[in-house]
């Protein structure tokens, strides 16, 4: 029997990540592929997956943003990055982004039906106020498990074990959307 329904933030409670990359391009002129390549370069230098350095709080947003800017300038020397506030990335990334209203509605409906509901997200310390303000579920969520606070991220098994412990459930009593 399912006891806790967990919702991912990125691409579930938020619009699809690719949509947000496209919106960021409109704001900054940095193509999604260019930004992803620079993010991956920074992560590769640290021996980690693309966003793991900041989602696991190994470096700060400011340090990460400076490294991404340097990587963009190295890979694309003629790219204008002046519109990108990479050192304060979260504020610019989340500005003008609306939540996924259908999933917000589902979250609230499941809560009304008696399920415990939680958010299980790979996210960044400095982005917390932005994404939590965007979805406005603090008063609805029974649990919020954020990778940057635990040092593990999806798909690491440890983050799922942490969620299970916080929810006081067995593995078969959880579902992640």
């Amino acid at each position: 029997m399912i006891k806790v329904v967990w919702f991912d933030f990125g691409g579930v409670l938020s619009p699809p990540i690719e949509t947000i990359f496209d919106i960021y391009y409109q704001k900054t002129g940095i193509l999604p592929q260019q930004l992803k390549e620079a993010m991956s370069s920074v992560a590769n230098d640290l021996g980690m997956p693309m966003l793991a350095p900041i989602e696991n709080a190994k470096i700060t947003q400011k340090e990460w943003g400076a490294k991404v800017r340097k990587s963009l300038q190295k890979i694309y020397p003629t790219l204008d990055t002046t519109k990108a506030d990479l050192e304060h990335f979260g504020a610019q990334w989340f500005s003008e982004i609306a939540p996924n209203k259908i999933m917000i509605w589902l979250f609230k409906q499941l809560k009304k039906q008696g399920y415990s509901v939680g958010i299980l997200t790979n996210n960044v310390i400095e982005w917390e106020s932005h994404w939590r303000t965007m979805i406005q579920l603090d008063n609805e969520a029974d649990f919020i498990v954020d990778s940057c606070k635990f040092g593990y991220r999806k798909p690491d098994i440890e983050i799922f074990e942490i969620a299970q412990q916080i929810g006081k459930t067995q593995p078969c009593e959880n579902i992640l959307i």
Side-chain angles (χ1 to χ4, degrees):
M1 170 184 231
I2 300 298
K3 291 185 179 177
V4 180
V5 180
W6 295 94
F7 286 73
D8 192 359
F9 169 74
V12 176
L13 295 172
S14 79
I17 302 301
E18 291 305 315
T19 299
I20 302 175
F21 269 101
D22 290 339
I23 293 168
Y24 193 77
Y25 164 66
Q26 300 293 323
K27 295 174 191 175
T28 66
I30 300 172
L31 289 167
Q33 187 54 39
Q34 293 171 321
L35 185 56
K36 289 177 191 177
E37 192 173 349
M39 290 174 171
S40 293
S41 175
V42 169
N44 289 341
D45 288 348
L46 298 169
M48 304 174 105
M50 188 168 80
L51 289 173
I54 53 173
E55 289 178 342
N56 283 351
K58 300 298 183 193
I59 61 175
T60 67
Q61 171 184 247
K62 189 172 183 177
E63 293 168 312
W64 176 81
K67 289 177 183 290
V68 170
R69 184 178 304 281
K70 186 175 179 180
S71 181
L72 280 167
Q73 291 167 342
K74 181 180 177 185
I75 301 167
Y76 302 101
T78 61
L79 179 64
D80 179 6
T81 62
T82 58
K83 293 181 183 176
D85 190 0
L86 295 164
E87 294 76 12
H88 304 98
F89 186 84
Q92 189 173 39
W93 179 257
F94 288 110
S95 72
E96 302 172 35
I97 301 295
N100 181 333
K101 291 180 182 183
I102 293 170
M103 296 309 283
I104 299 292
W105 175 85
L106 178 60
F107 190 102
K108 291 177 180 181
Q109 289 302 308
L110 289 167
K111 175 78 173 183
K112 286 179 186 175
Q113 291 176 23
Y115 289 96
S116 291
V117 288
I119 300 167
L120 178 56
T121 182
N122 291 345
N123 233 305
V124 178
I125 290 170
E126 296 91 346
W127 301 358
E128 184 173 35
S129 64
H130 305 294
W131 70 264
R132 287 177 79 152
T133 299
M134 182 178 88
I135 60 173
Q136 297 183 24
L137 290 174
D138 282 3
N139 293 330
E140 304 285 337
D142 295 298
F143 316 105
I144 298 177
V145 177
D146 192 341
S147 64
C148 63
K149 295 182 180 178
F150 295 97
Y152 298 102
R153 61 192 285 278
K154 299 183 306 300
D156 300 334
I157 190 69
E158 292 89 349
I159 197 72
F160 298 107
E161 290 170 346
I162 290 166
Q164 177 187 319
Q165 290 168 2
I166 288 172
K168 297 183 173 126
T169 59
Q170 297 300 310
C172 63
E173 297 172 323
N174 295 271
I175 189 167
L176 173 63
I177 299 174

